[in-house]
Every structure is written in structure tokens, then in C-alpha cells.
Amino acid sequence: MFELKMVKGSTLQGVLEAILDLVNVANVDCSSEGFSLQALDTEHVVFLSLFFPSEAFQSYRCDEDRSMGIAIADMVDFLRSSNDGDIITIKATDQNLEDITITLESPDKIKTMAIDLRLVDATSQCLKIPDWNDMESDYQAIFCMPSEEFRLNCKSLSVIDDDVVISVNEEVISFSTKGESGCVNISHVMNKTDKPEKASVILTHARGPLSLTLNWRYMKSCAKVSKLFDQVKIGLSTKRPLMVECQIVEKGYIRYFVAPLKAEEGKTET
Amino acid sequence: GRKQPTITNYFGRA
């Protein structure tokens, strides 16, 4: 049996809403540790990998590992009809491998709504991605920034053009774009003090200057998810896609991987 | 025009 319980207002619904910008269905793998979800956008440019640990929920039970294709669009539609404070239960039994049941219960237990959602085939969403610990060393630069700053950057950059250059060296991280109507250049000086301020950008490591050019259209879902968290971690590499991560409690994460248009080592945009 | 690389250039199918 698989069962999780949470109070509406938790991060899950917000995350699912943002995933809808990428896909309508996603594959969910459940284990006793928590559940993971993979989603690949229709253009195959963005890949999302998330892990919600069991600790993120009020209660969580998974007796046996199972994989389920979920119609995220239908699930979100149902969750939208609930009120804040409702208790959400998602349940799958060993007797019925074709459906999951989602129940919404008002805090005073007066009203209950339930839906049986038919499982779908979402195996096309699955990619084989290496463990982050094995991949991390391929990232020449990793830094953290307040997600509000990241979101504001996403907003101001999208005004001008789709192509955005992210450049990083040991001193500065910059986001820039230029188009017919002008240009935007945002730079953040890295905070290197022992006591970083809350609003600062903190460099985890950088091995020389590096710049990535991305089509910012593909960052829409990522910018939406970052709103739900305090911090985002961004990884740049010439061998790997751009990585943007938000941390869910201690062990969980949402990681976006976005294929860049261009990756250059040894130079930064001025 | 410019070709947008896909994520499958980086990660293979499971």
C-alpha cells in the first residue's frame, strides 16, 4: 500500500502547478524513503527530477516500491477545487494497480471529496540521469542565490529577448540579454564573507570563467517553482545542462536541467 | 535558424 497525507498549502500543489508548464503526465516512483518524479517537456529541452522525502508529509507509508504514471493536469484540477487547510490523502492499494485515490477532507471533517484517478503510461518521461554526487564535479561553477532575486531576474530578462547569457567567474555572476528594444544586464557580486547576508549570492565553487547561453522561454516552470522556496542553487557546466535546484526539507530536491544553446569556457560576457 | 540542443544530448533514455 502507498499512502501519504498532508495539509493543503504544502509545497506539493505549487510544484505540480509549475510542472504543468512542462507536461501533462509524469512518472512517479514511490519507495519507503519518499517519492520521486521525472518530467520531460514536449520539446525535450527541460528535464525535471524531484524527490519528496517522506519527512515532507504529515504521514507517509509505502510498503513496496511502485511506479505510477500520473495525469498531473487532472490531479491539479482536482486539488484546485480544495480549500486551504484541507487534509489531502493520496492512496494506492495493492489490489488496484490501475487507479490512485485522492481524498480532500475539510479540517472540521464535515466535507470530504474523493477522486479515483486512472493511472497512465508516462514511461516516455523517464531519462537515465546520473546521481548528483557523481555529476557535481562536472559543474565548473555552483552558486546559491535568494529565489526572490532569481525570480526578479527571470522577470526582467524576459522583457527583452529569449536568449539569455549567464556568466560567472570567482567575483561576479551576471545575467544579460539584448534584443531589438534594448538590453538588460544584471550582475551580482559574490559574497565571500564568513557571515553571508540573507540576500547575497554565495559561490560554492568556480573553476575559471564560464558562460552559458539559454533560451529563457524554457525557464518559465523553473522560475515558478523557485517562488515556493527561499533559495535556489544554480550549477553551470560546459559538459552538462544548466542545473537549478530548490531544496525540499533536508533530503529532498527539485532539479531542473535545461539544455543550453551554447556553453563557453574561459570567457565571460562584458 | 539556430538549433536548440535537447536534454537527450546529455542524458540517455532510461
Side-chain angles (χ1 to χ4, degrees):
Chain A
M1 190 178 91
F2 170 77
E3 187 179 87
L4 71 80
K5 202 173 265 196
M6 67 190 157
V7 180
K8 161 130 181 183
S10 69
T11 322
L12 183 66
Q13 188 181 346
V15 170
L16 294 176
E17 295 263 5
I19 292 175
L20 275 186
D21 285 337
L22 299 178
V23 289
N24 287 327
V25 298
N27 204 64
V28 175
D29 289 308
C30 309
S31 77
S32 56
E33 303 281 305
F35 75 81
S36 54
L37 177 151
Q38 295 198 336
L40 179 65
D41 75 318
T42 48
E43 293 172 68
H44 295 186
V45 177
V46 187
F47 180 67
L48 176 141
S49 166
L50 73 77
F51 175 61
F52 264 91
S54 57
E55 299 89 74
F57 303 102
Q58 207 169 31
S59 71
Y60 182 93
R61 174 183 166 186
C62 180
D63 300 337
E64 204 170 84
D65 293 0
R66 63 163 76 197
S67 184
M68 302 183 285
I70 301 205
I72 302 288
D74 294 340
M75 189 164 168
V76 167
D77 271 344
F78 183 67
L79 292 178
R80 279 177 186 157
S81 65
S82 61
N83 295 305
D84 278 344
D86 280 358
I87 309 288
I88 303 169
T89 307
I90 302 175
K91 189 174 175 177
T93 62
D94 300 332
Q95 290 76 40
N96 180 353
L97 299 172
E98 288 184 356
D99 304 283
I100 54 165
T101 304
I102 308 169
T103 311
L104 299 168
E105 188 181 34
S106 62
D108 55 13
K109 299 189 190 312
I110 287 174
K111 183 183 172 190
T112 310
M113 287 200 294
I115 185 173
D116 284 340
L117 208 58
R118 188 57 46 94
L119 296 177
V120 294
D121 179 20
T123 46
S124 62
Q125 299 292 323
C126 300
L127 292 184
K128 203 172 164 53
I129 58 162
D131 191 66
W132 173 249
N133 291 329
D134 298 330
M135 244 195 306
E136 195 173 3
S137 60
D138 289 338
Y139 281 82
Q140 285 106 318
I142 296 178
F143 59 93
C144 292
M145 68 191 295
S147 55
E148 179 61 8
E149 291 292 328
F150 177 69
R151 194 185 65 79
L152 289 173
N153 288 357
C154 290
K155 203 173 161 188
S156 33
L157 290 160
S158 56
V159 171
I160 299 287
D161 194 66
D162 279 344
D163 285 10
V164 168
V165 181
I166 307 179
S167 296
V168 65
N169 60 34
E170 270 127 45
E171 310 296 325
V172 177
I173 160 92
S174 72
F175 298 78
S176 56
T177 180
K178 56 180 177 223
E180 278 175 20
S181 55
C183 63
V184 177
N185 197 334
I186 306 160
S187 59
H188 302 268
V189 175
M190 301 290 187
N191 186 319
K192 289 181 167 175
T193 58
D194 293 339
K195 287 181 185 168
E197 288 169 37
K198 213 179 162 193
S200 59
V201 178
I202 301 152
L203 185 71
T204 309
H205 75 255
R207 295 193 301 269
L210 166 81
S211 73
L212 290 189
T213 307
L214 297 133
N215 186 326
W216 213 244
R217 259 192 317 125
Y218 297 109
M219 299 297 283
K220 190 180 163 194
S221 168
C222 185
K224 210 183 257 186
V225 158
S226 71
K227 258 198 277 190
L228 306 165
F229 300 89
D230 291 337
Q231 290 275 317
V232 289
K233 180 160 114 180
I234 300 175
L236 279 72
S237 165
T238 47
K239 296 183 208 158
R240 301 280 187 188
L242 172 82
M243 191 285 300
V244 182
E245 178 190 284
C246 298
Q247 198 183 352
I248 305 170
V249 295
E250 209 180 309
K251 284 184 274 173
Y253 56 82
I254 301 174
R255 285 190 195 119
Y256 279 87
F257 293 98
V258 185
L261 286 163
K262 198 165 65 173
E264 289 172 291
E265 209 168 347
K267 70 169 256 208
T268 47
E269 290 276 315
T270 48
Chain B
R2 234 176 6 167
K3 197 173 183 305
Q4 165 70 55
T6 65
I7 207 78
T8 41
N9 294 141
Y10 297 92
F11 302 134
R13 291 274 176 195

